[in-house]
């Protein structure tokens, strides 16, 4: 039983290493080698690339088993290193997506998004007023379609007036606001580790999968940035990087939305379970129960000076 369990863990780790680190890293290393050989003057000279590969294959060292093994090991190490770098950058991307935008240049982006949202809101109000004044059926249907179009345009900017630099940050802020207003959890970050312990295995699995998807989206954005760096040697890499970054941006909000929905679900369904574990009465309304939970956790949580010790 133990050997089977360890073998299963080893297989999962190997799959994660292959899919998350090795294969993307190999692709990046191959593109790096291609870019360094072709350069900026002949970016699409496939014949030159083929001749270079034939020249490498014709060398006597290319047929020596030791040289081949050494070269393969070097490529694998470089690919894994690139994958680890992308993972580190992915963590930084996650933090950038959730920035509140209090300081420049993030505050400039937040102000730009707020102006877009305000403009879309004014256009929506104008469309609603025009629709209310329409008397003919044909004009009323046209004005109603314009109202729906304006609603979709404002929704693309954000579900509410932006308070962060990205829609991802706004979505997570809405989840925290939901927990505070509906469940009384004023400090979701403090309550979440305790709440996690009372969740059902199914919900924990869904949350873990959503978290992995969100992290994978951030890693994809990191790969896009790494591809853009290759443009210094081979300019078509900038096009590849831009395409990867666009794909990551499209996927990011969808992944964050699913994760935030599951967090809100956990707060809605398992608040009383956490209260029961903490010995807090659950006969009061949900906000009062959440306030009691937050108050209990704040009195038992170590202070900043204690954590420093």
């Amino acid at each position: 039983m133990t050997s089977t369990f360890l073998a299963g863990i080893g297989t999962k780790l190997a799959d994660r290493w292959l899919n998350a680190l090795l294969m993307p890293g190999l692709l990046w290393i191959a593109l790096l080698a291609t870019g360094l050989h072709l350069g900026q003057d002949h970016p699409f000279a496939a014949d030159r690339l083929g001749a270079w590969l034939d020249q490498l294959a014709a060398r006597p060292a290319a047929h020596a088993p030791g040289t081949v093994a050494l070269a393969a090991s070097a490529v694998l190490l470089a690919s894994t290193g690139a994958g680890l770098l992308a993972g580190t950058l992915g963590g930084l991307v996650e933090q950038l997506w959730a920035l509140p935008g209090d300081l420049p240049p993030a505050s400039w982006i937040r102000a730009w998004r707020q102006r877009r949202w305000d403009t879309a809101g004014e256009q929506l109000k104008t469309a609603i007023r025009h629709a209310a004044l329409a008397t003919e059926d044909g004009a009323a249907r046209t004005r109603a379609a314009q109202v729906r179009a304006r609603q979709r345009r404002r929704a693309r900017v954000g579900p509410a007036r932006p308070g962060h630099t990205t829609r991802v940050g706004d979505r997570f802020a809405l989840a925290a606001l939901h927990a505070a207003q509906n469940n009384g959890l004023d400090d979701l970050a403090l309550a979440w580790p305790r709440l996690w312990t009372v969740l059902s295995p199914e919900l924990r699995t869904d949350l873990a999968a959503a978290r992995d998807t969100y992290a994978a989206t951030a890693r994809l954005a990191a790969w896009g940035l790494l591809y853009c760096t290759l443009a210094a040697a081979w300019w078509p890499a900038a096009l590849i990087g831009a395409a990867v970054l666009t794909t990551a941006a499209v996927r990011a909000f969808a992944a964050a939305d699913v994760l935030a929905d599951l967090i809100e679900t956990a707060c809605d369904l398992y608040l009383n379970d956490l209260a029961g574990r903490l010995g807090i009465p659950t006969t009061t309304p949900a906000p009062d129960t959440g306030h009691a939970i937050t108050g209990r956790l704040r009195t038992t949580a170590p202070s900043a000076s204690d954590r420093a010790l």
Side-chain angles (χ1 to χ4, degrees):
M1 180 66 71
T2 303
S3 60
T4 303
F5 174 72
L6 293 177
I9 292 179
T11 301
K12 291 181 179 179
L13 289 177
D15 290 340
R16 289 177 65 89
W17 173 72
L18 182 66
N19 296 325
L21 297 179
L22 183 59
M23 295 306 295
L26 280 173
L27 183 60
W28 189 83
I29 292 296
L31 197 63
L32 172 63
T34 299
L36 289 176
H37 181 73
L38 295 180
Q40 304 287 18
D41 296 332
H42 306 281
F44 303 109
D47 54 340
R48 294 185 57 183
L49 184 62
W52 175 59
L53 293 175
D54 292 339
Q55 183 181 2
L56 288 178
R59 293 181 179 179
H63 303 282
T67 304
V68 172
L70 184 61
S73 300
V75 170
L76 290 177
L77 286 175
S79 302
T80 304
L84 292 174
L85 177 60
T88 302
L89 287 177
L92 180 60
V93 169
E94 290 185 39
Q95 296 181 15
L96 292 176
W97 279 343
L99 277 180
D102 295 330
L103 298 175
S107 60
W108 303 337
I109 301 176
R110 182 183 64 180
W112 171 71
R113 296 187 66 236
Q114 288 174 343
R115 288 194 298 269
R116 287 185 63 205
W117 199 88
D118 292 340
T119 301
E122 290 299 325
Q123 292 174 348
L124 175 60
K125 292 178 182 178
T126 301
I128 293 174
R129 286 196 298 267
H130 291 167
L133 296 176
T135 56
E136 299 180 359
D137 291 341
R141 286 193 296 269
T142 301
R143 297 292 173 81
Q146 291 176 351
V147 169
R148 291 192 294 269
R150 297 301 183 185
Q151 288 175 334
R152 289 192 296 269
R153 181 178 180 182
R154 192 178 69 171
R156 284 195 295 269
V157 180
R161 193 172 191 270
H164 292 70
T165 55
T166 66
R167 292 185 67 193
V168 171
D170 288 335
R171 185 62 186 90
F172 286 137
L174 280 179
L177 182 63
H178 174 94
Q181 292 182 344
N182 293 25
N183 309 110
L185 296 176
D186 301 322
D187 193 342
L188 182 58
L190 177 64
W192 181 253
R194 286 82 173 177
L195 184 63
W196 176 267
T197 62
V198 301
L199 301 182
S200 66
E202 294 82 4
L203 184 54
R204 275 198 297 240
T205 300
D206 291 341
L207 277 163
R211 182 67 181 83
D212 289 343
T213 301
Y214 176 66
T217 305
R219 282 197 306 273
L220 183 63
W223 280 115
L225 295 174
L226 289 178
Y227 280 124
C228 287
T229 62
L230 298 181
W234 189 56
W235 68 262
L239 303 178
I240 299 174
V244 174
L245 284 173
T246 302
T247 303
V250 171
R251 294 180 179 178
F253 181 74
D257 191 39
V258 172
L259 180 57
D261 279 339
L262 289 173
I263 291 173
E264 293 171 358
T265 301
C267 294
D268 291 339
L269 299 183
Y270 291 91
L271 181 70
N272 287 341
D273 295 76
L274 177 59
R277 293 289 186 90
L278 294 175
I280 296 174
T282 59
T283 55
T284 58
D288 294 335
T289 303
H291 291 317
I293 291 174
T294 304
R296 174 72 61 82
L297 295 179
R298 282 174 176 164
T299 57
T300 58
S303 64
S305 59
D306 293 336
R307 287 195 296 268
L309 295 176

